[in-house]
Amino acid sequence: MSSEAQHKDTVITRREFINVAAIGAAFLSLAAVFAGLFRFLKPKVAYEESTKFKIGAADNFPVGVVTKFDEKGVFVFSSEDGLYAISCVCTHLGCLVTLTEAGFDCPCHGSKFNKDGKVVGGPAPRALPWLQISRSVDGSLEVDTAKEVSAGTIFKIA
Ligand code: FES
């Protein structure tokens, strides 16, 4: 075989090039369509943890007892009038406060709060929020860390 004939075999014509390019473009388009379809199969939903958590039955909270729910950042106090919940997340930078005789202390930057959660010292910009307590459908009590109530709000156990 002469070198000219060999050269003709390896050179593709414009028509062949356009055919190959068209087929390649069609495959790319199909791939893009399927990629888009697969994206729809997986819903783009951000599942967030519920802000409500159950604390059990009212019997679990005898008068005078303070229960700390560390993982939720909440203190539940039981008084003669009922229950109330105060966040133990410092309003400065979010450290967990500790309970003291006078109220609450933050170990991080020294903020101090009285028994109602009002700031009495340190850099905290606002009081510790009181949180809503309610009764769930199954009868147990629950605290909603996203719902603040005014200080002094007591959940009456009837
Ligand atoms: S985080 Fe509590 S004082 Fe800074």
Side-chain angles (χ1 to χ4, degrees):
M1 186 184 282
S2 73
S3 71
E4 193 174 308
Q6 207 172 21
H7 178 71
K8 271 190 174 180
D9 284 348
T10 57
V11 171
I12 60 171
T13 64
R14 186 184 325 171
R15 181 178 299 250
E16 289 169 334
F17 174 76
I18 290 173
N19 283 345
V20 169
I23 290 170
F27 274 114
L28 282 176
S29 300
L30 276 176
V33 166
F34 279 111
L37 285 176
F38 282 122
R39 279 191 61 197
F40 281 113
L41 291 177
K42 186 179 175 202
K44 275 191 132 183
V45 178
Y47 296 101
E48 290 183 14
E49 194 176 319
S50 172
T51 57
K52 287 182 179 179
F53 70 96
K54 292 189 178 178
I55 59 174
D59 301 342
N60 297 342
F61 303 95
V63 173
V65 167
V66 181
T67 308
K68 186 176 184 187
F69 294 88
D70 268 329
E71 67 284 353
K72 302 294 182 183
V74 174
F75 284 112
V76 174
F77 296 82
S78 179
S79 71
E80 303 239 338
D81 299 326
L83 299 177
Y84 57 99
I86 299 179
S87 170
C88 60
V89 179
C90 181
T91 54
H92 180 223
L93 292 177
C95 291
L96 294 184
V97 299
T98 56
L99 194 62
T100 65
E101 286 283 314
F104 308 91
D105 283 355
C106 181
C108 293
H109 310 103
S111 285
K112 293 188 180 306
F113 306 85
N114 70 11
K115 287 181 187 273
D116 290 336
K118 288 191 180 132
V119 181
V120 291
R126 62 187 185 93
L128 296 173
W130 286 48
L131 303 171
Q132 184 183 64
I133 298 177
S134 58
R135 195 177 297 278
S136 68
V137 283
D138 67 2
S140 65
L141 301 176
E142 60 188 14
V143 175
D144 191 338
T145 57
K147 289 197 178 155
E148 291 186 25
V149 295
S150 54
T153 303
I154 307 279
F155 178 80
K156 305 230 184 285
I157 301 166

